[in-house]
Amino acid sequence: MSPGLAGIAEVAQILGVSIRTAHRYANRPDFPKPLDELATGRVWKRADIEKWARKPPVPLGRGKGRPPKPRD
């Protein structure tokens, strides 16, 4: 896969979350739209995912916001 593209496993890695949580984030209305959907799943621009991760989380109701990413 291109270094500029990300499937759900790469999304999970970029965000530092499980694949299950990455799927939940990918279904949020504020998450970047995928470039395409292949037989293996959706594909995003890696830069779009990284940009989304830097933004403050958008609250979706009690307990549904993205937790802050741990800082190093």
Side-chain angles (χ1 to χ4, degrees), residues 3 5 9 11 13 16 25 27 31-33 35-36 39 43-44 49-50 53-54 58-60 63 71:
L5 298 178
V11 168
Q13 183 180 29
Y25 289 163
N27 290 325
F31 199 77
K33 300 295 177 215
L35 288 176
D36 204 351
V43 180
W44 294 266
I49 303 304
E50 291 168 347
R54 288 190 298 269
V58 174
L60 295 178
R71 303 265 183 219

Side-chain angles (χ1 to χ4, degrees), residues 17-39:
V17 299
S18 69
I19 290 177
R20 181 177 178 171
T21 299
H23 277 291
R24 279 186 282 200
Y25 289 163
N27 290 325
R28 291 174 52 113
D30 64 321
F31 199 77
K33 300 295 177 215
L35 288 176
D36 204 351
E37 184 157 354
L38 308 174

